[in-house]
Amino acid sequence: MTTPPASTPSTGGRRNYLLLTAAAFVTNLGGAGAMIASAFAVLESGGSGGDVGLVVASRTLPLVVFLLIGGAVADRLPRHRVMVAANTVNCVSQAAFAALVLAGEARLWQMMLLAGLGGAAQAFFGPASEGMLLSSVPPGQASRAFAVYRMAMHGASLGGAALGGAMVAAMGPGWVLAVDAAAFAVAASLRALLDVRGIAPREPGGGMLSDLREGWREFASRPWLWGIVVQFSVANAVVGAAEAVYGPLVARDSLGGAGPWGLALAAFGAGTLAGGLLMTRWRPRRLLLAGTLCVFPLALPSAALAVPVPAEVLWGVMFLTGVTVEVFGVSWMTALHQEIPEDKLSRVSAYDWFGSIAMVPVATALAGPAESAFGRGPALWGCAGLVVLVTAAVLLVPDVRNLTRHPKPPLPTIPTPRDASPGAEAATEADTGTGTAAGTGTGTPRPPRTTGEVPTP
């Protein structure tokens, strides 16, 4: 298969990778707690569960609307500046949200407006962050670096959720939102230090629409790319509906309440950490085949809830699903890093994000009517069946089965002067890039879809 030139890491790749990983850890640590805090802020202001949904939707809608524009902007402007600007907007919006909650003056429309502002900023941040991360990882080191990066994000999210929940209970949601604002400020400072001198300047384009069309051509010309994005547009939607709508209901009626369901979600998070650890060692040759086969277990949680199985069995199922989904996530990021030209990474990432999340609000909205029409059990079996169906269908795409990992590039040969000492050549070779972007000596990671705040899984 003929492929275009892959992304080229900047000369400051290792330093950039460490800065990006640290910033992602900070923002995910604050963001996980803020998700809990914002829901309780709405409820403590007198809002209902429906009002919580409105605030969530207010963030999601601008994210979907502006994603493609955000991708075009990130490929047109220096990506680190787009990221810093987006983090600054998130910092200001969360600080305002915190101030309103702490003052006891928060109104629903204000919270919706601020959530929408944060979602719009995320639409610009996500593609820029993904493109910047992919540009910072050298060829041959991608899988391990992306695995470590994702482990940092998932670990921060787990710790942030636990810490945020405790802080909401002890101090109230306003202070947790204030901590999240501070986290965005720290992350913006770290991302402002990124070194972009080694990234080639973008060629002037023909305008925003021209850039979007070019990104679409890059996206649509690769059946493996758009095929997997279509697969996850369905899989993410039905899994999101099962987790957000049916899971809490099954937990209430059959598992003993919110506690066992919270442990199930924690087990999934622990599984993603284990999967990331696995991918620091495992380098499957057929990237997308291995990753796609590991998507089939994504149907298991919906099936387990449909039965429903005992809580202990559900925890094991969720852990296994977390492991396998992470195998896909690292493989997917490695494929993008290998196959997509550097100057189009953010636009392709934007189409990836857009396809992966666009149907989630529709599915969650239809989950209630589906339960009323067919029953909860059949609806959950339908979710599981759709995951299996779309995953099997994408395996019919030849490139999904056959795309292979590029071999590691050979180390450059540097002539040694005849009068050099015997160890000089070995010392020179050790300085030419045998270490990894992660600083561990053998590999690299990359987002979710999560590029620091979270495409496909």
Side-chain angles (χ1 to χ4, degrees):
M1 179 173 54
T2 302
T3 59
S7 57
T8 302
S10 70
T11 55
R14 176 188 171 93
R15 177 174 178 272
N16 284 351
Y17 172 79
L18 294 174
L19 286 170
L20 289 166
T21 303
F25 182 87
V26 170
T27 47
N28 276 268
L29 190 66
M35 289 178 62
I36 299 171
S38 61
F40 277 92
V42 174
L43 296 175
E44 289 185 6
S45 69
S48 63
D51 293 332
V52 174
L54 287 175
V55 173
V56 173
S58 297
R59 179 177 177 84
T60 304
L61 182 60
L63 175 59
V64 173
V65 169
F66 290 107
L67 255 177
L68 299 183
I69 297 174
V73 168
D75 275 341
R76 178 178 287 264
L77 300 177
R79 293 187 181 117
H80 70 305
R81 294 182 181 175
V82 177
M83 296 164 68
V84 171
N87 282 170
T88 302
V89 172
N90 280 127
C91 174
V92 172
S93 64
Q94 287 294 74
F97 199 160
L100 288 171
V101 173
L102 289 171
E105 299 293 335
R107 301 290 183 267
L108 179 61
W109 70 267
Q110 295 170 326
M111 293 185 281
M112 291 174 62
L113 178 63
L114 292 170
L117 189 60
Q122 181 64 23
F124 288 85
F125 172 86
S129 176
E130 191 152 308
M132 190 70 206
L133 178 63
L134 290 172
S135 299
S136 300
V137 175
Q141 300 178 0
S143 289
R144 186 167 185 176
F146 295 151
V148 174
Y149 179 87
R150 291 171 66 95
M151 286 172 64
M153 285 179 23
H154 294 316
S157 295
L158 277 173
L163 183 61
M167 288 181 64
V168 168
M171 306 168 61
W175 289 110
V176 179
L177 293 168
V179 169
D180 189 39
F184 277 115
V186 172
S189 300
L190 291 172
R191 287 162 177 149
L193 300 175
L194 293 168
D195 181 2
V196 296
R197 290 174 296 174
I199 299 177
R202 312 282 189 268
E203 293 294 332
M208 183 68 68
L209 290 179
S210 175
D211 285 351
L212 289 172
R213 285 194 296 269
E214 187 177 4
W216 172 253
R217 286 193 296 269
E218 197 71 37
F219 176 82
S221 66
R222 293 173 168 78
W224 64 267
L225 178 57
W226 60 258
I228 287 180
V229 170
V230 170
Q231 171 202 8
F232 269 92
S233 70
V234 176
N236 281 342
V238 297
V239 170
E243 180 180 305
V245 179
Y246 300 136
L249 296 174
V250 173
R252 180 195 65 188
D253 296 342
S254 305
L255 301 179
W261 179 240
L263 289 175
L265 297 179
F268 177 84
T272 63
L273 292 177
L277 185 61
L278 170 65
M279 293 306 288
T280 64
R281 298 292 183 183
W282 186 36
R283 292 169 50 86
R285 180 171 177 269
R286 295 193 180 186
L287 285 167
L288 296 181
L289 177 61
T292 301
L293 290 175
C294 286
V295 177
F296 281 107
L298 195 60
L300 293 178
S302 296
L305 291 170
V307 173
V309 299
E312 295 80 5
V313 176
L314 179 62
W315 300 340
V317 167
M318 294 291 278
F319 179 84
L320 173 64
T321 304
V323 173
T324 57
V325 164
E326 195 63 13
V327 172
F328 170 82
V330 174
S331 299
W332 177 249
M333 296 177 68
T334 304
L336 292 178
H337 173 270
Q338 174 177 291
E339 301 294 324
I340 306 300
E342 192 279 330
D343 63 328
K344 299 179 178 66
L345 283 171
S346 291
R347 277 169 286 177
V348 169
S349 171
Y351 281 107
D352 177 14
W353 276 60
F354 181 84
S356 298
I357 67 174
M359 290 182 62
V360 173
V362 176
T364 52
L366 292 177
E371 181 182 16
S372 299
F374 307 109
R376 187 186 303 162
L380 281 163
W381 283 117
C383 291
L386 282 172
V387 172
V388 172
L389 179 64
V390 296
T391 303
V394 84
L395 286 174
L396 299 176
V397 179
D399 285 349
V400 171
R401 302 192 306 271
N402 300 326
L403 189 146
T404 58
R405 181 189 303 272
H406 290 178
K408 287 185 178 182
L411 291 172
T413 301
I414 302 176
T416 305
R418 293 181 182 178
D419 59 348
S421 63
E425 184 172 358
T428 302
E429 181 176 311
D431 291 335
T432 59
T434 57
T436 71
T440 56
T442 48
T444 25
R446 171 190 105 59
R449 220 146 255 245
T450 62
T451 44
E453 265 71 24
V454 194
T456 297

